[in-house]
């Protein structure tokens, strides 16, 4: 720490220089986050100092969190769903497994997850001492449900399906998983961290939510396709009061117990997340998602004209290719199977897709 503070001018010129070292979003094609919507920024700034670690001090902000959960419950066909705002998909997935572990009371618990599951499940299983059983995918990069059913035994506490996989943008056959979960009496957690803000707005209906009776919990991240400020995730539970199973006593706070993972929790991104949902509404979100899907389709079609085939036909806006080289100025990513991966987020406009395709054309000329 500096012994004597610096001037505000020096401080902010230093911070601005550091900010300039960050990459320009115009070239970021690999991220599942996107610059926040202006209404999210405005709402975030209004609630900057709020702390939902002590909700009794911020009853207005706490009521926004309730509203956010109610909005997602309604969107996911279960208005009465319980839940809370997390820091993102990692925390939601961890808390979902923690809930399954506490409520299922099994000595050596295991969770059955698809090979495509996000690495947060590995962290969660490590922390919670749960055995992670990985299920292979079918030829379309979706969880093989027959193999999933085979992996379940008396120690299985939770089956996991993904709605919008991180690498290939696929939605697992959640309706089949729901049937299996009910038959075998295990929880079904749906990781819709990415797809939860895409699938409900697609013209094609892909069942993944509480309309399926076997779905116990759902993770959805407003800080991804919900265009909120970071960090904003949500964990939803079918039973409104389910999370109270995780309650621990909290002396010296305005509430006597809490079930959240974090203590101090920012209210600002919750206000940001709710602001975007209410400002855009279903129609606005459909327009955003439709734009992202059209760009994904255009990218796939364009790449194929250069003889670069798709690796998958995605359900959501993640495009993957059998391609080994990309011009350097673009920030792309690569899957574990070494496929080129591009996420067509709201900041990836049509102009960028066309510029990227031109560069790919030049590289392959
Ligand atoms: N689940 C899925 C499907 C994801 O794609 C991601 C991140 O990309 C996560 C969970 C983890 O989310 P976070 O990085 O917000 O913790």
């Amino acid at each position: 720490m500096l012994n004597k503070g610096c001037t505000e001018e020096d401080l902010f010129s230093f911070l601005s220089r550091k900010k300039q070292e960050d990459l320009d979003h115009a070239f970021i094609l690999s991220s599942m986050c996107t610059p926040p919507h202006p209404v999210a920024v405005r709402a975030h700034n209004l609630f900057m100092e709020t702390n939902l670690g002590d909700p009794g001090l911020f009853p207005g902000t706490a009521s926004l969190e309730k509203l956010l959960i109610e909005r997602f419950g309604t969107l996911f066909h279960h208005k009465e769903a319980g839940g809370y705002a997390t820091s993102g998909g990692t925390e939601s997935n961890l808390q979902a497994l923690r809930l399954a572990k506490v409520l299922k009371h099994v000595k050596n618990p295991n969770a059955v997850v698809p090979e495509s599951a996000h690495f947060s499940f590995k962290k969660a299983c490590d922390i919670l001492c749960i055995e992670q059983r990985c299920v292979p995918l079918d030829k379309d990069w979706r969880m093989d449900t027959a193999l999933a059913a085979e992996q379940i035994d008396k120690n299985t506490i939770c089956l996991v399906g993904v709605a919008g996989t991180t690498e290939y943008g696929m939605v697992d056959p959640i309706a089949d998983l729901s049937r299996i979960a009910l038959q075998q009496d295990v929880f079904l957690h749906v990781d819709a961290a990415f797809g939860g803000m895409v699938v409900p707005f697609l013209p094609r209906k892909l069942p993944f939510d509480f309309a399926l009776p076997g779905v116990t919990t759902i993770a959805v991240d407003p800080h991804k396709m919900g265009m909120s400020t970071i960090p904003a995730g949500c964990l939803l539970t079918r039973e409104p009061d389910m999370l109270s199973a995780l309650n621990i006593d909290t002396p010296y706070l305005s509430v006597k117990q809490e079930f959240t993972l974090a203590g101090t929790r920012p209210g600002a991104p919750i206000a940001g997340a709710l602001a975007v949902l209410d400002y855009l509404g279903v129609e606005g979100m459909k327009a955003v998602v439709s734009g992202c899907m059209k760009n994904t389709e255009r990218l796939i079609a364009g790449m194929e004209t250069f003889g670069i085939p798709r690796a998958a036909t995605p359900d959501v806006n993640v495009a993957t290719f059998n391609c080994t080289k990309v011009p350097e100025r673009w920030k792309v990513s690569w899957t574990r199977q070494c496929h080129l991966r591009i996420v067509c987020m709201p900041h990836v406009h049509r102009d960028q897709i066309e510029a990227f395709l031109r560069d790919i054309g030049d590289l392959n000329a």
Side-chain angles (χ1 to χ4, degrees):
M1 197 169 164
L2 301 175
N3 195 25
K4 196 167 174 281
C6 61
T7 65
E8 196 169 329
E9 207 185 324
D10 285 350
L11 174 65
F12 279 90
S13 84
F14 167 71
L15 293 177
S16 306
R17 283 197 309 279
K18 283 291 155 196
K19 184 106 198 311
Q20 275 160 20
E21 288 174 18
D22 289 347
L23 300 190
D24 182 344
H25 261 96
F27 296 97
I28 298 181
L29 306 180
S30 58
S31 179
M32 289 192 144
C33 288
T34 200
H37 192 286
V39 298
V41 177
R42 191 168 165 194
H44 186 109
N45 288 337
L46 199 59
F47 287 82
M48 191 67 91
E49 77 291 359
T50 60
N51 169 20
L52 287 179
D54 206 351
L57 305 182
F58 303 96
T61 314
S63 72
L64 293 184
E65 181 177 26
K66 278 209 175 75
L67 269 180
L68 183 64
I69 296 303
E70 198 181 299
R71 295 279 191 275
F72 277 119
T74 308
L75 187 67
F76 297 163
H77 299 103
H78 188 46
K79 190 171 185 288
E80 297 75 30
Y84 81 103
T86 66
S87 58
T90 301
E91 181 180 336
S92 300
N93 291 338
L94 188 144
Q95 285 279 80
L97 290 192
R98 183 177 165 217
L99 192 57
K101 187 178 172 185
V102 167
L103 289 174
K104 284 292 184 186
H105 299 295
V106 171
K107 199 147 175 245
N108 294 307
N110 68 66
V112 173
V113 311
E115 265 173 9
S116 55
H118 185 261
F119 51 79
S120 49
F121 287 99
K122 169 92 178 86
K123 296 184 192 176
C125 286
D126 279 356
I127 292 168
L128 295 165
C129 298
I130 294 172
E131 179 199 345
Q132 180 178 265
R133 294 191 173 170
C134 287
V135 179
L137 309 183
D138 64 17
K139 63 175 182 12
D140 293 325
W141 306 96
R142 294 190 182 91
M143 189 185 203
D144 185 316
T145 51
L147 295 180
E150 278 174 20
Q151 294 265 16
I152 296 174
D153 64 15
K154 65 178 184 358
N155 290 330
T156 302
I157 53 168
C158 191
L159 180 58
V160 172
V162 186
T165 55
T166 315
E167 288 185 307
Y168 292 92
M170 307 310 295
V171 176
D172 284 328
I174 310 288
D176 293 345
L177 296 179
S178 164
R179 272 190 291 278
I180 294 169
L182 289 175
Q183 271 161 15
Q184 310 255 20
D185 191 26
V186 294
F187 279 11
L188 172 56
H189 173 61
V190 178
D191 181 0
F194 188 75
M197 285 296 284
V198 180
V199 178
F201 308 112
L202 292 172
R204 185 162 67 111
K205 294 295 150 230
L206 286 167
F208 80 100
D209 64 19
F210 291 120
L212 300 169
V215 173
T216 321
T217 47
I218 302 179
V220 57
D221 280 0
H223 70 204
K224 295 188 168 72
M225 281 296 288
M227 296 169 288
S228 75
T229 48
I230 295 172
C234 289
L235 174 64
L236 283 102
T237 60
R238 177 178 292 278
E239 305 303 331
D241 196 31
M242 213 170 180
L243 284 160
S244 62
L246 301 182
N247 268 343
I248 49 122
D249 292 340
T250 52
Y252 71 77
L253 296 183
S254 60
V255 284
K256 297 281 158 271
Q257 294 195 308
E258 71 181 20
F259 50 71
T260 56
L261 187 63
T264 301
R265 294 191 302 129
I270 293 171
L274 186 72
V276 179
L277 291 188
D278 283 5
Y279 182 73
L280 292 180
V282 171
E283 289 309 312
M285 273 310 301
K286 276 187 178 167
V288 170
V289 166
S290 161
C292 293
M293 292 305 291
K294 280 191 183 125
N295 286 340
T296 309
E297 283 152 22
R298 165 67 189 134
L299 176 63
I300 292 173
M303 292 289 271
E304 290 187 340
T305 61
F306 299 124
I308 301 171
R310 72 189 78 183
T313 300
D315 295 319
V316 300
N317 40 321
V318 179
T320 47
F321 302 95
N322 284 304
C323 173
T324 48
K325 255 192 324 185
V326 167
E328 245 175 45
R329 67 179 181 142
W330 299 99
K331 182 70 195 150
V332 297
S333 62
W334 304 90
T335 70
R336 281 169 287 181
Q337 268 70 26
C338 304
H339 291 126
L340 166 64
R341 167 182 174 272
I342 290 177
V343 191
C344 293
M345 291 302 287
H347 69 268
V348 180
H349 300 293
R350 186 58 171 260
D351 291 354
Q352 280 138 280
I353 299 287
E354 298 302 340
F356 177 79
L357 286 171
R358 275 196 301 278
D359 281 3
I360 287 282
D362 292 348
L363 197 69
N364 286 279

